[in-house]
Amino acid sequence: MIELERKYLLRFKDVAKECITKLSDRELGKLIGLAHEKQKNHYFIGGNSDSYAKLSVLMGYEIPVGFSIRTRQIGDSDSDTNLFIYAKSSLHGENRQEISLELEGSDNTLEGIDDILLSFGFEVQSKWHRTRMPFIIKDQSGYEINVAIDNNSGYGYMAEIEIELDDSSSQEVIDKAIAKIELIQKKLGLVELDADILSSMYKYYCKHWEY
């Protein structure tokens, strides 16, 4: 899957509320609000070719060496959680490949999945949590645009606009999807978070994070 994603720093709750209000503009398309999510996200670094080979077997898909690896728990109760492993072609990126695996079964836990990755030779880089308010915008062009308003540990409020495409998508399709994201961004009055600033924010968080 190709993930086209843009991030925006809102910081404060009142700014986040204003953004949600603007999302209801009918010119953007049909807005669908989804259930709020509590997430735990664990990022991993390190590993060698053997580590990635073992991960590839687990995920059933070849994971290139150097892909960014993370685990995620959605939900905060033992009976109602979803667990994932993600492999992405970059830590942060506007257009990147994403491979995911949902781990089902009541015996699985986030800590247990982490232990598997640790046994493969990966190391924990950071742990953080967020509360996510997810929305879907469906417009007449057929796009399904994912918009999220997040309250992130360490960062405050942020917004994401994302469109997911098949790996086989042509450059023309990708360009049209990017144009759609930029149009919504403009309608919401958002300014994309500079990649260097985002990288600096994450490096600072890695040195000071408290989970």
Side-chain angles (χ1 to χ4, degrees):
M1 180 186 74
I2 298 173
E3 178 186 54
L4 307 177
E5 179 185 85
R6 303 293 184 270
K7 293 180 182 291
Y8 312 90
L9 184 62
L10 307 177
R11 293 189 63 85
F12 305 112
K13 187 175 183 178
D14 58 339
V15 181
K17 285 184 175 180
E18 182 180 353
C19 187
I20 293 172
T21 299
K22 291 179 179 179
L23 275 172
S24 62
D25 187 340
R26 292 184 179 181
E27 290 185 9
L28 294 177
K30 182 180 179 181
L31 181 67
I32 302 172
L34 305 178
H36 292 195
E37 300 175 353
K38 289 187 177 181
Q39 296 185 2
K40 294 180 180 179
N41 296 276
H42 298 175
Y43 281 41
F44 291 79
I45 56 174
N48 52 31
S49 57
D50 185 55
S51 306
Y52 280 91
K54 292 177 180 177
L55 181 60
S56 297
V57 172
L58 175 63
M59 298 188 72
Y61 196 102
E62 184 177 355
I63 311 299
V65 174
F67 263 43
S68 176
I69 310 301
R70 70 279 309 265
T71 58
R72 175 176 297 170
Q73 174 182 301
I74 300 176
D76 58 0
S77 67
D78 293 337
S79 60
D80 187 24
T81 58
N82 299 96
L83 300 168
F84 298 88
I85 300 175
Y86 290 94
K88 304 194 180 192
S89 54
S90 62
L91 176 62
H92 302 114
E94 295 184 343
N95 312 327
R96 58 185 174 180
Q97 185 181 11
E98 177 184 283
I99 302 161
S100 64
L101 172 68
E102 181 173 6
L103 292 104
E104 301 177 344
S106 58
D107 293 336
N108 285 316
T109 63
L110 183 63
E111 292 73 18
I113 297 169
D114 289 350
D115 287 342
I116 292 173
L117 295 185
L118 292 172
S119 73
F120 289 172
F122 295 102
E123 302 173 16
V124 175
Q125 183 183 36
S126 68
K127 297 181 179 182
W128 55 280
H129 57 83
R130 68 182 171 199
T131 301
R132 165 160 285 189
M133 293 171 278
F135 302 86
I136 294 175
I137 296 175
K138 293 187 176 182
D139 68 1
Q140 294 180 347
S141 62
Y143 284 111
E144 189 169 285
I145 304 103
N146 298 308
V147 180
I149 307 297
D150 298 331
N151 187 4
N152 292 293
S153 58
Y155 293 171
Y157 284 88
M158 295 186 68
E160 290 184 8
I161 303 175
E162 176 189 281
I163 294 177
E164 297 176 347
L165 300 174
D166 293 335
D167 288 331
S168 59
S169 298
S170 67
Q171 189 60 49
E172 181 182 3
V173 170
I174 293 173
D175 290 343
K176 286 182 178 179
I178 292 173
K180 186 64 182 180
I181 291 175
E182 292 174 346
L183 177 62
I184 294 175
Q185 167 187 316
K186 184 178 180 179
K187 290 279 189 179
L188 296 179
L190 297 175
V191 178
E192 185 179 351
L193 183 58
D194 181 81
D196 291 337
I197 294 176
L198 179 59
S199 178
S200 296
M201 288 169 57
Y202 182 68
K203 288 178 181 178
Y204 181 87
Y205 181 78
C206 286
K207 292 180 180 179
H208 300 90
W209 62 274
E210 295 181 4
Y211 191 59

